[in-house]
Amino acid sequence: MTTDELEKLLAQQPVAVLHRLARGRVHRHFRAGKRRLIELLLQHSSQNRAGFESDLLTLIGERQANPPSESSRRPGAPPIPHKKVVTKATDSDPSDPPVSLTEWLQGIGVPTPQPFVQDPWQIEALAAVNETDVVISVPTGSGKTYVAIEAARRAMEDNRSVIYTSPLKALSNTKYAEFSKIFGQDKVGILTGDRQENGQAPLLVMTTEILRNLLYDAASGQIDVRLDTLGLVILDESQYLADPERGVVWEETIIFCPSQARLLLLSASIGNPQDIADWLTSIRTTPCRLVRHSKRTVPLRAGYLHPNGRLTPLFRTLGIPQGHPSHLHPEAKHLFIEYEEETLPSGRPRR
Amino acid sequence: MPPSIHPVDLISALRQKHLTPAIVFLTSRRACDEAMEAFDHANFVLPTVRQEAIAKALEQVMAQHPSIAEHPMIPIVQRIGVAAHHAGHLPSWKIAIEELMRQGHLDAVFATTTLAAGVDFPARTVVITQSSIRKSRDFTDLTAGEVQQIAGRAGRRGKDHVGFAVITPSPYIDLSVLTKGLTGQPEAIDSQFTISYPMVLNLLKAHPHEHIQGILAKSFAQFQLNQRAEVLEQKLDVLHSKMEPFGPRVCTDWITQWHTFDHARRHRHTRHPTYRAEPPEIAARLPFLTPGRVVGFNRGRGIVLRQYRSKGQRNSMLTVLRPESAVTECPVTSIREIYDRTYDCPETSAYPWCSTDTFDRLSHQLEELPLRLPLLPILVATDGEPLPDAIVQSLEDFPCPTCPSRSACHKDFLTASRLRQEQHRHTKSIQALRTSLWHRFQERVEVLQKFGYLTLTTQLTAEGEWARLIRIDHSLLITELIRAEAFTGADPSLIAGILASLAHDDDRPGAFPRISPGLSSLLGQVRKLAESLSPYEDPPLLRADVAALVERWVADPTLTWIGLCKLTTMAEGDIYRLLARTLEYLSQVQTLNATHPGLADTAAQAITAIRRGVLEELP
Ligand SMILES: Nc1ncnc2c1ncn2[C@@H]1O[C@H](COP(=O)(O)OP(=O)(O)OP(=O)(O)O)[C@@H](O)[C@H]1O
Ligand SMILES: [Mg+2]
């Protein structure tokens, strides 16, 4: 496709399709007009034109396969009757009475202290990381740090060195302090863009960019003993792989990670962890193990607080109804409509 | 009804329902600060025991980070047990707030969504007031992944049986973004792989050119491109089976044959009026002189871009692409040969009558033509014969009219040619998917060769050897500045200022401190160079205000942190980050000590000068 053709094709698409394409590509797409959006998309796609085109064609194909009812209707044509009026009954049956506020608020409190017991996924991950690369995709607050610490401990007991990277300097500093407390000052070092301490320690905390640079230097023949004995590389918050500016650094790091070192990727839930694992399997010497689950350890409930101070559950169900965004609590729904009517009398103002 | 709940009412409501500690995510830093101000006159005071506990915890942090001792927010945080936490604060203050929160001394923290990623900072309840987030200059809807990261802070393991995510509306909120985010799947990761100049240099330093394609193939980008290619390959398989009934007939390539025949047949009638005026040997040629056709002149060859009639001309005219991308207009009579070769050339409505991409491709194809090309036999009606006209004769030249499979071809042509077009399209896309990274790499290589960082055999030149150590954004600009000796003899403060103008991560300019003439002229030079490099590297947003700020900090060792903050409207957290990023850039320049000892030394001096006061104490 030539740029002109691509531009023309984009211009023919409804804005909704452009916005879907813009997700993850263009930061400023939300309020951009159609022309500007096309410009930004073209600009961005120069890096990965082929991928962009194929995404576009897929989206167009999808739309042709199941056209959205409104845009496919020609002005004169009779409306297409809606077939899916009745949603299928599920665990959160909308005909059940909605949860009450009292029920919703029940159970608040501090659990009695429990002895520490590893979660099954933690055991699984730790067993696997002895033998192979591991990708962990579990919700926020599940206890990924525990896996990192234990894996690091075992590698160090084996006289192999460990590198832990995080995307943020603040997080690197916190982890440096935390690891120093656990393993002792002399066992832990830190290397970030503006801080170097104890650079020869067996456990090094660094930003991912620094590790990438070390790997490039080593590849070009600079001798680095830290990499020779490297047994484990932990990449925390590895969902940064999708960061528009910095994601490439994670890819470089993974591609050039020495083969004798195990990779341990920690991430909050992501949509395609299996792809990441398959990718690692395809480029590394051992098949990668994926450890994933999406159930939160501490259950989560959602609520709606009206500006007048009134609190109600947000959904009809006690927990969050996975896959059913429209199962709103009638009261929350009512209050929110009222809110919109009062604050936006003449349609939605633009920012 | 107010457009959003008053912060004091919000915290009271949460307290009353035992939903504290809570993190309240607000749209901007300003909103966080204003929320804190809202407590100024509120009758909202913690019991003395809790106030004392906060004071004690703060003292512990102060032992490590003395700079927070004077922090203006301390009294109010102590009084109300609520704090703000955002990127405008110094890291030490943020650390203090995180510590207070972790120890359970605070009821609530007002924060921007930047907190959502990475900082260990959980709470019982998370309050969400927005559905979009400011990125760069605009607001973008939160993704499902982001909504879940934010909501996921609620419910501390071991401290809560259950966590709460409470939505309270503010203007512009789109509730469906949040409900979809809460109930949906997080987005799939999409590779953001780009090929930068330092990447090319470092790869070529470590690996021979012929290995690079294999290395790029290991990227997640290629993995995902391959996934897409596989989908297309499956479609291609389906197309192949659909094409089966349309295999070879009397002629192998009946689709093309029929296409040409059909084309000639259709155009016979419409052309009559114009063609009458032409002598028959010319008229017979016209149907073949379509865009994309290769033709021969007395001298050299060309590709037809357009056929047209012009008032003053007796004969039909052609626009022809000639070697070296020249475009000429000539009458059809100047054509000596018509070759049996055409290229794709979709017509456009303006000069040069095809898209630039097509034009470039055709120019290239014209250069690459083999010396010998088969001629197209064109039958011409002999002079004096009245009718049938020349075209009919040339139609009879086709085997189609008498062919036994004529009716089958006629019937199947549309379907078959559509399928074949689709096949072509998919094959092309697959090829593009498989090779796009490599092409991208080659493009970068060419630029680096042009600038002399790589030899024609893709070895690193002496310049390339050091340039590969500069692995930051705007690397080409920085290495070109070094080569242009822009920094030679410059003071540490000047170099630090220039690097700061590149290193900042914010596009909102602050108030302008006075700028020295030296820095101002050097910035002008940088801007010019950046513009001239813009075909190869996106020019940076050179911020003169931050350059001046950093210059002052480095040049004047007596300047205090407070004094520095007074020079600008930037928040101190932003100044801190700016200096930290400048340090990173300087330390990259410092690695050039083997080849540029003077420059590296100046960078080292700048680094030492930057690290004082708050910057020395941290982290
Ligand atoms: N098996 C366990 N049993 C009880 N508590 C645990 C267990 N594992 C970890 N924890 C606790 O869970 C809390 C959260 O852990 P952690 O910070 O590692 O989460 P995370 O998965 O890294 O989340 P994030 O995505 O926010 O980084 C910690 O306080 C930790 O002590
Ligand atoms: Mg973590």
Side-chain angles (χ1 to χ4, degrees):
Chain A
M1 232 185 276
T2 64
T3 310
D4 279 355
E5 282 167 358
L6 182 60
E7 192 176 340
K8 226 179 267 162
L9 192 57
L10 285 171
Q12 288 161 5
Q13 302 311 316
V15 188
V17 168
L18 302 184
H19 278 298
R20 271 186 70 187
L21 278 169
R23 278 249 158 124
R25 286 198 163 91
V26 181
H27 259 159
R28 317 170 173 191
H29 72 97
F30 183 40
R31 306 265 157 162
K34 187 165 178 182
R35 279 241 55 84
R36 175 87 186 120
L37 197 55
I38 292 176
E39 240 170 65
L40 291 169
L41 282 170
L42 285 174
Q43 233 172 48
H44 176 90
S45 69
S46 66
Q47 288 290 335
N48 179 1
R49 187 62 173 272
F52 179 74
E53 282 175 15
S54 102
D55 275 2
L56 173 61
L57 295 177
T58 318
L59 271 181
I60 295 176
E62 264 173 36
R63 283 182 78 83
Q64 280 164 354
N66 41 3
S69 47
E70 263 153 87
S71 53
S72 70
R73 225 182 282 157
R74 262 167 284 131
I80 305 159
H82 252 298
K83 278 192 183 155
K84 285 188 191 161
V85 177
V86 194
T87 39
K88 48 185 171 4
T90 53
D91 47 332
S92 58
D93 192 331
S95 60
D96 282 348
V99 64
S100 73
L101 182 64
T102 333
E103 285 171 283
W104 187 82
L105 283 168
Q106 241 159 40
I108 292 185
V110 182
T112 46
Q114 303 281 326
F116 184 91
V117 183
Q118 295 177 37
D119 288 344
W121 68 268
Q122 288 172 328
I123 298 173
E124 183 190 343
L126 280 169
V129 79
N130 270 337
E131 281 133 39
T132 181
D133 301 330
V134 178
V135 171
I136 297 183
S137 164
V138 297
T140 316
S142 298
K144 295 183 281 283
T145 317
Y146 170 79
V147 178
I149 291 170
E150 282 310 303
R153 187 198 308 281
R154 294 182 195 177
M156 281 152 64
E157 279 166 6
D158 258 12
N159 284 322
R160 291 176 297 146
S161 63
V162 180
I163 291 178
Y164 167 97
T165 80
S166 89
L168 305 161
K169 246 181 289 177
L171 196 63
S172 294
N173 287 326
T174 320
K175 292 296 172 190
Y176 174 55
E178 189 179 341
F179 294 166
S180 299
K181 237 179 253 165
I182 296 171
F183 297 111
Q185 290 276 339
D186 55 324
K187 288 280 197 304
V188 191
I190 184 166
L191 303 171
T192 64
D194 55 3
R195 183 181 188 191
Q196 281 98 36
E197 271 163 53
N198 211 3
Q200 299 298 329
L203 170 55
L204 290 176
V205 177
M206 51 181 90
T207 48
T208 315
E209 274 80 359
I210 300 281
L211 174 56
R212 190 264 319 260
N213 290 349
L214 287 185
L215 294 173
Y216 269 138
D217 289 339
S220 60
Q222 227 156 301
I223 293 161
D224 194 329
V225 283
R226 293 173 294 196
L227 296 180
D228 290 342
T229 55
L230 189 61
L232 177 67
V233 173
I234 304 167
L235 303 176
D236 201 354
E237 308 287 339
S238 50
Q239 68 273 15
Y240 260 73
L241 207 52
D243 187 87
E245 270 125 47
R246 299 174 60 199
V248 56
V249 180
W250 271 254
E251 287 195 43
E252 290 172 278
T253 305
I254 291 170
I255 297 171
F256 297 113
C257 178
S259 57
Q260 93 277 356
R262 300 272 166 261
L263 271 169
L264 176 57
L265 271 64
L266 311 178
S267 83
S269 306
I270 50 178
N272 55 346
Q274 187 66 54
D275 282 352
I276 309 283
D278 288 347
W279 167 49
L280 284 179
T281 301
S282 74
I283 64 167
R284 306 265 306 161
T285 47
T286 53
C288 172
R289 176 71 152 278
L290 172 63
V291 177
R292 72 183 293 192
H293 72 86
S294 53
K295 196 168 155 42
R296 288 177 43 90
T297 345
V298 179
L300 189 63
R301 297 175 192 168
Y304 175 81
L305 178 63
H306 204 56
N308 67 9
R310 186 113 154 254
L311 181 68
T312 93
L314 178 65
F315 296 108
R316 305 177 62 96
T317 47
L318 187 62
I320 290 174
Q322 291 303 326
H324 298 280
S326 59
H327 287 189
L328 289 184
H329 198 278
E331 203 174 333
K333 202 168 171 175
H334 167 80
L335 286 171
F336 186 71
I337 290 173
E338 200 182 287
Y339 175 81
E340 286 218 303
E341 276 167 3
E342 274 188 43
T343 52
L344 312 168
S346 53
R348 190 156 276 265
R350 301 272 114 180
R351 230 173 261 267
Chain B
M1 184 172 59
S4 48
I5 192 166
H6 191 275
V8 178
D9 296 340
L10 170 64
I11 304 303
S12 306
L14 294 174
R15 275 196 179 149
Q16 194 221 330
K17 304 277 193 237
H18 305 286
L19 290 173
T20 54
I23 307 173
V24 182
F25 287 105
L26 298 173
T27 19
S28 63
R29 304 167 182 188
R30 189 122 139 250
C32 295
D33 293 338
E34 282 169 3
M36 287 302 288
E37 281 162 24
F39 285 84
D40 276 351
H41 307 289
N43 183 17
F44 197 100
V45 184
L46 286 186
T48 335
V49 229
R50 284 195 56 192
Q51 292 203 28
E52 278 165 4
I54 293 178
K56 217 165 135 206
L58 277 176
E59 257 164 45
Q60 277 171 2
V61 183
M62 256 178 252
Q64 243 193 320
H65 304 289
S67 64
I68 63 165
E70 306 281 291
H71 202 284
M73 297 301 283
I74 288 181
I76 180 149
V77 169
Q78 258 183 45
R79 184 162 60 85
I80 63 177
V82 176
H85 181 290
H86 57 67
H89 294 137
L90 278 180
S92 51
W93 179 247
K94 290 197 278 187
I95 290 170
I97 300 302
E98 286 158 29
E99 197 51 43
L100 287 179
M101 190 71 170
R102 221 169 286 137
Q103 295 182 14
H105 296 308
L106 297 181
D107 283 342
V109 170
F110 295 109
T112 57
T113 34
T114 42
L115 184 82
V119 186
D120 184 19
F121 201 81
R124 172 172 293 166
T125 301
V126 158
V127 179
I128 305 174
T129 60
Q130 71 202 82
S131 59
S132 55
I133 181 175
R134 187 179 186 278
K135 279 181 186 159
S136 301
R137 266 180 211 169
D138 250 310
F139 282 81
T140 311
D141 275 356
L142 292 168
T143 63
E146 282 165 340
V147 172
Q148 286 169 26
Q149 277 269 357
I150 293 171
R153 308 242 139 221
R156 299 154 300 172
R157 207 173 173 180
K159 287 191 188 150
D160 288 310
H161 284 300
V162 53
F164 295 87
V166 174
I167 295 173
T168 183
S170 64
Y172 311 113
I173 199 168
D174 183 345
L175 192 62
S176 70
V177 169
L178 297 175
T179 51
K180 278 183 198 149
L182 284 171
T183 56
Q185 284 291 323
E187 286 77 12
I189 285 184
D190 203 16
S191 170
Q192 303 291 327
F193 196 74
T194 51
I195 293 175
S196 61
Y197 295 117
M199 186 198 288
V200 173
L201 289 174
N202 282 292
L203 282 175
L204 286 171
K205 166 75 182 171
H207 308 273
H209 189 240
E210 59 270 24
H211 289 184
I212 305 285
Q213 201 168 2
I215 294 171
L216 294 176
K218 288 174 144 194
S219 64
F220 188 48
Q222 190 60 56
F223 179 86
Q224 291 193 306
L225 290 173
N226 288 345
Q227 284 183 328
R228 293 184 176 124
E230 275 155 31
V231 172
L232 287 183
E233 272 162 1
Q234 279 165 12
K235 285 193 186 158
L236 209 52
D237 287 345
V238 175
L239 282 174
H240 270 303
S241 57
K242 280 194 190 159
M243 277 296 277
E244 249 154 45
F246 310 123
R249 294 182 175 171
V250 173
C251 40
T252 342
D253 189 4
W254 66 270
I255 303 179
T256 315
Q257 278 282 357
W258 183 268
H259 180 70
T260 339
F261 169 67
D262 202 40
H263 189 79
R265 197 172 54 159
R266 277 171 207 277
H267 285 67
R268 184 170 51 141
H269 305 291
T270 53
R271 290 234 186 84
H272 264 280
T274 32
Y275 285 52
R276 276 287 154 82
E278 321 258 7
E281 72 273 13
I282 301 297
R285 297 174 146 203
L286 292 178
F288 297 95
L289 294 171
T290 45
R293 171 70 66 186
V294 182
V295 293
F297 295 87
N298 274 341
R299 244 178 222 191
R301 296 181 287 197
I303 297 179
V304 177
L305 295 175
R306 174 177 76 132
Q307 191 190 114
Y308 63 100
R309 300 250 355 153
S310 168
K311 258 196 184 151
Q313 296 285 341
R314 222 174 74 79
N315 295 108
S316 292
M317 296 290 292
L318 296 176
T319 307
V320 182
L321 169 69
R322 304 295 307 267
E324 285 169 354
S325 301
V327 176
T328 59
E329 313 291 330
C330 57
V332 282
T333 45
S334 62
I335 304 285
R336 288 284 156 268
E337 322 275 17
I338 300 179
Y339 296 107
D340 190 7
R341 161 95 41 130
T342 58
Y343 291 111
D344 258 3
C345 179
E347 252 180 296
T348 61
S349 54
Y351 180 88
W353 319 110
C354 62
S355 68
T356 33
D357 283 2
T358 313
F359 189 83
D360 292 346
R361 176 173 51 78
L362 289 177
S363 307
H364 183 70
Q365 282 166 332
L366 184 59
E367 313 288 337
E368 304 277 290
L369 276 178
L371 279 176
R372 280 169 196 285
L373 279 175
L375 286 178
L376 200 68
I378 298 176
L379 233 78
V380 184
T382 40
D383 249 330
E385 248 175 317
L387 269 177
D389 87 34
I391 314 279
V392 177
Q393 290 236 355
S394 69
L395 271 185
E396 278 164 4
D397 199 30
F398 285 98
C400 301
T402 53
C403 177
S405 78
R406 169 178 179 153
S407 64
C409 293
H410 178 75
K411 183 164 80 61
D412 293 341
F413 172 69
L414 273 184
T415 321
S417 89
R418 190 182 49 78
L419 288 174
R420 201 173 63 166
Q421 267 173 19
E422 222 168 305
Q423 257 182 345
H424 280 313
R425 221 186 53 228
H426 285 333
T427 318
K428 267 194 193 162
S429 312
I430 291 172
Q431 213 185 357
L433 289 167
R434 301 266 187 223
T435 56
S436 62
L437 281 185
W438 176 239
H439 284 311
R440 191 87 203 138
F441 183 83
Q442 292 290 37
E443 279 171 26
R444 296 285 188 201
V445 165
E446 277 161 31
V447 174
L448 289 167
Q449 284 172 332
K450 179 179 148 75
F451 281 92
Y453 295 102
L454 288 174
T455 65
L456 288 179
T457 54
T458 65
Q459 308 284 315
L460 271 66
T461 62
E463 311 277 326
E465 284 288 344
W466 61 261
R468 78 183 171 87
L469 299 173
I470 304 294
R471 295 157 181 158
I472 34 187
D473 292 347
H474 315 298
S475 59
L476 188 61
L477 175 60
I478 293 173
T479 55
E480 284 298 296
L481 279 169
I482 294 173
R483 290 174 80 189
E485 311 234 308
F487 296 137
T488 309
D491 285 339
S493 59
L494 220 53
I495 293 184
I498 294 294
L499 291 181
S501 75
L502 298 168
H504 68 87
D505 60 355
D506 194 349
D507 49 18
R508 287 169 287 191
F512 227 92
R514 219 159 23 115
I515 189 162
S516 76
L519 181 60
S520 151
S521 88
L522 192 50
L523 266 174
Q525 193 184 343
V526 176
R527 183 163 292 126
K528 245 200 221 129
L529 187 60
E531 265 163 33
S532 74
L533 291 178
S534 64
Y536 315 105
E537 187 175 75
D538 284 342
L541 181 75
L542 280 173
R543 273 185 63 184
D545 61 322
V546 301
L549 199 66
V550 173
E551 183 194 28
R552 285 287 284 279
W553 179 248
V554 176
D556 179 2
T558 60
L559 185 63
T560 61
W561 182 255
I562 306 216
L564 181 71
C565 293
K566 278 197 187 129
L567 287 174
T568 168
T569 49
M570 282 167 74
E572 58 178 352
D574 292 330
I575 306 176
Y576 175 86
R577 243 190 1 270
L578 170 70
L579 289 169
R581 283 180 69 101
T582 307
L583 277 175
E584 259 173 67
Y585 276 47
L586 282 165
S587 63
Q588 295 252 317
V589 173
Q590 204 191 349
T591 59
L592 303 184
N593 53 355
T595 50
H596 301 76
L599 178 62
D601 189 47
T602 318
Q605 288 173 35
I607 290 174
T608 322
I610 287 186
R611 279 188 206 277
R612 66 188 146 90
V614 172
L615 272 119
E616 194 183 29
E617 166 196 318
L618 293 167

